[in-house]
Amino acid sequence: MRRSVFSYIAVKLLHKVITLIFVILLIYILLRLAPGTPFDQYLYQGKITEEQYERLLEKWGYKDNFITGAIKVLYGMFTFSLFKMKSPVYNKPIIELISVRLPYTLGLVTAAYFFGAMLGMLLGLYCAKNRGTLKESAILWLTLGIRALPVFWLGMVLLYFLAFKAGLFPYLTTSELKPQNIFHYMVDWLWHSLLPIIVLSKIYAVSYLLTIRNMTTEEYTSDYVTALRAIGLKENYILERHVLRNIMPPVITMMAIDIGFLFGGAVVTETVFNYPGMGTLIYQAMWTKDYPVVLASFYIIAIAVIVAITIAEVTYAYLDPRIRGE
């Protein structure tokens, strides 16, 4: 059995490595097909000559053909030398840019995911226990309405009314004050980051609410639940000891996959609130044609997604041997 598990993991890792190579090459090709370079504006403004412009293109690899450029990208990906390169826009090592931005994104997505997932699970269980009632209908209609709101639109609305009009939150998502202690830092960070946390968490709150509600409702209609009720067990006992145990494996898998995709949702949210995280860095790098920064950033996102999916698949295979056989 142990050998079969290791074989399953090895095959899955091989598939993920191939997927990672394909994703990075696809991003590289799309970036190369996009017109413009970071040095075009300097040429148009007369700050550099045509000869200097050509030397810059040669230096930063913008004149490489597709095959040469792809080989350099793959080499930098597997040796991690991609992160040691300097950004042609910031003139700083990419690892330095990412190391400053990544903690902000990790803090934002962790808080948003925890808040959204917990809220969605609790409301999903509440709707399942009160299925068919007016309360459940009201929550579901409200949830579907919130689900239809675009992230960028909701972010701009909250920013305008709560920050600009009401003055309840600051415009900037980073504080200019030096924290006196860790408690002061956490409170100050939460106050500056609460609006983007709310906007980002609504994605996961809605998703988990509907998923938990549907799975729990389906379990409540099972024969074993009917039998447990017939012998006089209370609803809370049935929910905690039996229903939740049966729905948790797919929920855990869903959570593992969602964690990998957190960075994707943060790009739009960070851009709207000008949050100094990875999303803003990617947005600015794409606008300025800073291809090395874009590739390194998407490389980190792709690894996070692949690792999360692999963990979910291995966990499922461990819990259900039939998956390994397939």
Side-chain angles (χ1 to χ4, degrees), residues 168-187:
L168 298 176
F169 297 95
Y171 302 109
L172 301 176
T173 50
T174 55
S175 176
E176 298 179 356
L177 301 176
K178 293 183 178 180
Q180 300 175 355
N181 49 57
I182 186 64
F183 177 76
H184 178 265
Y185 172 79
M186 292 301 297
V187 172

